Amino acid sequence: MQISYFHTSEAVPAVRPVAEGGPDAAVVIDVLRATTTIAWSLRNGAEAIQAFADLGELEAAAAAWPAERRLRAGERGGKRVEGYELGNSPLAVTPELVGGKRIFMSTTNGTRSLAAVRAVPLLLTACLPNRTAVAQRLIAAGAQRVWIVGSGWEGDYSLEDTLAAGAVISAATELAVAPHVGVGTGNDEALAALALWQQWRHEPETCLRAASHGQRLIGLGNHDADFACCAAVDSLQVVPTQTSPGVLQLV
């Protein structure tokens, strides 16, 4: 298995077919907080997450869904979109609120990264809480060329997404020993992500808070509980998986 990491959706090359050397699996990461919220939503009983980069497209799709079985989750600049039922906090997606419902989601950065690799055969989302479960799925699927895509912030590098990418790579490397699967890095970015994880693996929340987006959230108000949730390594076993373009479910 060869794993490459791309810091943002803008850095992702054009997706080619697997037969032409393209990736057979992709993992999208937005630690603060979209992919953490997606994982918790599905863990708490949401029927699916349907992701959109554009709010207009989200509105049109949500309007076609029964009102009693839909929720709109929108975030721009770290804040909930006015009028939406949800923002981008993993603490808000309680079983009582999301159970049995489809969440139509658009965030500043994460949903753009999902769109960039929508054509990859196996598309998963990862965060620190489910990083080992995602690595297990990649190994079980026999993935050969894996692209991990961070979300960054408006096209710029993101420390916390790189940390989580390194966490996934580390987990895959450790888990692959028993089935004798070789795991290597496909670019320098993946190797650097692994080194970053080795540096911060015992204090992930400190890293999240030190990151520029962590500082941005701190400036918006009290997000202590969100930080703790997003930094809770291996606290979830769910693996959000794309089942149709833009739709993430548990399979």
Side-chain angles (χ1 to χ4, degrees), residues 183-203:
V183 175
T185 54
N187 60 5
D188 286 349
E189 289 88 342
L191 189 59
L194 185 58
L196 185 69
W197 170 246
Q198 295 298 333
Q199 173 70 26
W200 289 98
R201 64 187 304 164
H202 299 299
E203 293 288 343

Side-chain angles (χ1 to χ4, degrees), residues 3 65 70 78 80 95 100 102 106 111 130 137 144 147 153 178 192 194 201 214 218 231:
I3 305 178
W65 204 259
R70 72 178 185 228
R80 179 167 59 91
R102 176 164 296 214
S106 181
T111 46
N130 75 343
R137 175 69 64 82
Q144 297 297 307
W147 286 4
W153 179 261
L194 185 58
R201 64 187 304 164
I218 290 169

Side-chain angles (χ1 to χ4, degrees), residues 13 16 31 37 44 89 91 113 124-125 143 150 153 159-160 178 180 206-207 237 245 247:
R16 294 185 294 165
V31 172
T37 301
N44 285 340
S89 171
L91 300 179
S113 291
L124 315 174
T125 66
W153 179 261
L159 186 70
E160 71 275 6
H180 309 292
T206 302
C207 183
Q237 294 300 311
V247 177

